[in-house]
Amino acid sequence: DGSFNEWSNINELPVESSTGVSLNPENLLQERCTVCHDLDRVRKARKDRPGWEKTIAKMVTNYAKLNEVERQALVDYLSQKGK
């Protein structure tokens, strides 16, 4: 069902290739961010672009599986939602 308990090893989480995949930031939020927490926390946060860059960099350090293109897509998306 895609829940956290389904994954026994964080390194085995699916990470899509950046080639040929259209990025949908809302899907990225749902698929990658909910591995560790629910989206209420993300949706309630009001941060500017530097704030989201810092937060997402921290999450990647803490096992979020995002490549650079995906990171930038999320930063763009979340920065716009906070306005």
Side-chain angles (χ1 to χ4, degrees), residues 54-72:
K54 182 178 178 181
T55 298
I56 291 171
K58 179 182 174 187
M59 296 302 102
V60 168
T61 300
N62 293 331
Y63 307 111
K65 297 293 186 181
L66 297 167
N67 65 38
E68 187 58 33
V69 172
E70 293 165 334
R71 284 173 67 169
Q72 288 306 309

Side-chain angles (χ1 to χ4, degrees), residues 7-23:
W7 304 103
S8 61
N9 183 342
I10 193 79
N11 295 321
E12 293 176 2
L13 289 173
V15 178
E16 297 168 344
S17 167
S18 63
T19 58
V21 175
S22 68
L23 294 177

Side-chain angles (χ1 to χ4, degrees), residues 32-63:
R32 310 290 171 78
C33 300
T34 59
V35 171
C36 296
H37 54 78
D38 65 42
L39 291 181
D40 285 341
R41 183 176 183 177
V42 177
R43 291 194 170 116
K44 288 178 183 177
R46 297 291 178 244
K47 299 180 184 194
D48 59 6
R49 182 174 195 81
W52 282 117
E53 288 172 342
K54 182 178 178 181
T55 298
I56 291 171
K58 179 182 174 187
M59 296 302 102
V60 168
T61 300
N62 293 331
Y63 307 111

Side-chain angles (χ1 to χ4, degrees), residues 1-7 14 30-31 34-35:
D1 66 3
S3 67
F4 181 75
N5 292 335
E6 184 176 323
W7 304 103
Q30 188 65 37
E31 293 169 4
T34 59
V35 171

